[in-house]
Amino acid sequence: MLIRHDGKFGWDSIPVLAYKENGSIFKDVTRQILFEPQPDLSCQLRYFEVGPGGHTTLERHQHAHCVIVIRGEGEAFVGDQVERIGDKDVVIVPSMTWHQFRATRGKPLGFLCIVNGERDRPMLPSAKELGELERNPKIAAFIRS
Amino acid sequence: MLIRHDGKFGWDSIPVLAYKENGSIFKDVTRQILFEPQPDLSCQLRYFEVGPGGHTTLERHQHAHCVIVIRGEGEAFVGDQVERIGDKDVVIVPSMTWHQFRATRGKPLGFLCIVNGERDRPMLPSAKELGELERNPKIAAFIRS
């Protein structure tokens, strides 16, 4: 019932996993699952760490995210905004909202992410959707796909 | 969609609330609600901070907790164990399990706590249940009720 932090963003008995198992486009991201859903608490808690220069997948989905940064800093694209994010900032990713996290500040970007245990699979942008996103120069300069 | 941390365990636009509104026994605890449940993410995320020497309520309930320490240190009683807890340790409180958090180390103890949005109300121990808990001397010395 106690999962000790090792002082280095690892946790006792929690394996460091690949970010994704499929061929999505991402760079230098790891995943640790800190809590698996159960009937009395129906969400999953993960810790993702993006290495300096790395990024998560540009995607959207029906399920929402609640993210809390706990290591380093970087930038997040959510919806139509790109924002710097740092320690203990909370980022809400609403349903069906394009998003991507990048470790742009020469440091790792590590964050907790809460999701519903039952959730849909992420969708990647089509060429048309990507074109729409890229109409905004700030977004075009930020996203990696 | 971005809730910035102010560097002092407060978050922009998030009020610092009383820990509980009822007459439960606790000491020097505040509560901030960082995420409210929505259809696409059905849990609530709170940040609780226990001041040095303070403690949460000794209670149990059907719903489970997933706790992550993000400030200071202290001790947690969960089930039949009392354990020191510190930064980024994860504490799982299973369903119907007695628990209490205390800031016993001369520092605040601040932690994120994830719960189901729909959940039952906490129950306090009866005199009989308290007597059963206190048969274990370590637990008897730790709990505050």
Side-chain angles (χ1 to χ4, degrees):
Chain A
M1 289 180 287
L2 173 60
I3 308 169
R4 278 201 195 281
H5 179 239
D6 66 6
K8 300 175 293 181
F9 295 89
W11 284 265
D12 285 357
S13 80
I14 304 291
V16 178
L17 304 173
Y19 168 54
K20 290 183 188 280
E21 304 294 341
N22 63 22
S24 297
I25 294 167
F26 62 89
K27 184 178 171 190
D28 195 5
V29 187
T30 58
R31 174 173 59 113
Q32 295 178 70
I33 300 173
L34 298 177
F35 182 80
E36 287 282 19
Q38 48 171 264
D40 299 303
L41 183 46
S42 56
C43 64
Q44 190 186 56
L45 175 68
R46 301 86 57 84
Y47 173 71
F48 292 106
E49 192 167 299
V50 186
H55 62 83
T56 63
T57 304
L58 173 63
E59 63 185 33
R60 68 177 180 175
H61 34 66
Q62 185 67 43
H63 64 274
H65 288 310
C66 177
V67 160
I68 311 103
V69 178
I70 63 168
R71 181 176 197 177
E73 54 188 290
E75 283 168 284
F77 163 57
V78 181
D80 57 1
Q81 301 286 322
V82 176
E83 297 273 8
R84 274 188 73 166
I85 55 173
D87 197 35
K88 298 184 186 73
D89 288 340
V90 175
V91 183
I92 312 298
V93 180
S95 182
M96 291 309 287
T97 303
W98 295 113
H99 58 282
Q100 185 167 47
F101 294 85
R102 290 180 53 202
T104 52
R105 317 291 304 178
K107 297 178 184 176
L109 171 64
F111 53 87
L112 301 168
C113 178
I114 308 166
V115 286
N116 271 347
E118 289 193 23
R119 61 188 181 275
D120 62 325
R121 296 184 72 85
M123 290 171 262
L124 304 180
S126 66
K128 180 166 176 281
E129 289 165 333
L130 205 53
E132 286 163 8
L133 287 172
E134 288 175 341
R135 277 188 216 158
N136 178 328
K138 191 170 179 183
I139 296 173
F142 183 78
I143 56 177
R144 297 289 179 272
S145 65
Chain B
M1 288 180 288
L2 173 59
I3 308 170
R4 276 202 197 282
H5 179 239
D6 66 6
K8 300 176 294 182
F9 295 89
W11 285 264
D12 285 358
S13 80
I14 304 291
V16 178
L17 304 173
Y19 168 54
K20 290 183 189 277
E21 304 296 340
N22 63 21
S24 296
I25 293 166
F26 63 89
K27 184 178 172 189
D28 195 5
V29 187
T30 58
R31 174 172 60 110
Q32 295 177 70
I33 301 174
L34 299 177
F35 182 80
E36 288 282 19
Q38 47 172 263
D40 299 303
L41 183 46
S42 57
C43 64
Q44 191 186 56
L45 175 68
R46 301 88 55 86
Y47 173 71
F48 292 107
E49 192 167 299
V50 186
H55 62 83
T56 63
T57 304
L58 174 63
E59 63 184 33
R60 67 178 180 175
H61 33 67
Q62 186 66 43
H63 64 274
H65 287 310
C66 178
V67 160
I68 312 103
V69 178
I70 61 168
R71 181 176 195 177
E73 53 188 289
E75 284 167 284
F77 162 58
V78 181
D80 58 1
Q81 301 286 320
V82 176
E83 298 274 5
R84 274 187 73 167
I85 54 173
D87 197 36
K88 299 185 185 71
D89 287 341
V90 175
V91 183
I92 311 298
V93 179
S95 183
M96 292 307 290
T97 302
W98 295 112
H99 58 283
Q100 185 165 47
F101 293 85
R102 290 181 52 203
T104 51
R105 317 290 306 177
K107 298 178 183 176
L109 172 63
F111 53 87
L112 300 169
C113 177
I114 308 166
V115 285
N116 271 347
E118 288 194 24
R119 59 188 183 275
D120 61 326
R121 296 184 71 85
M123 290 172 262
L124 304 179
S126 66
K128 180 167 176 280
E129 289 165 334
L130 205 53
E132 286 164 8
L133 288 172
E134 288 175 340
R135 276 188 217 159
N136 178 327
K138 191 171 179 184
I139 296 173
F142 182 79
I143 56 177
R144 298 288 179 271
S145 64

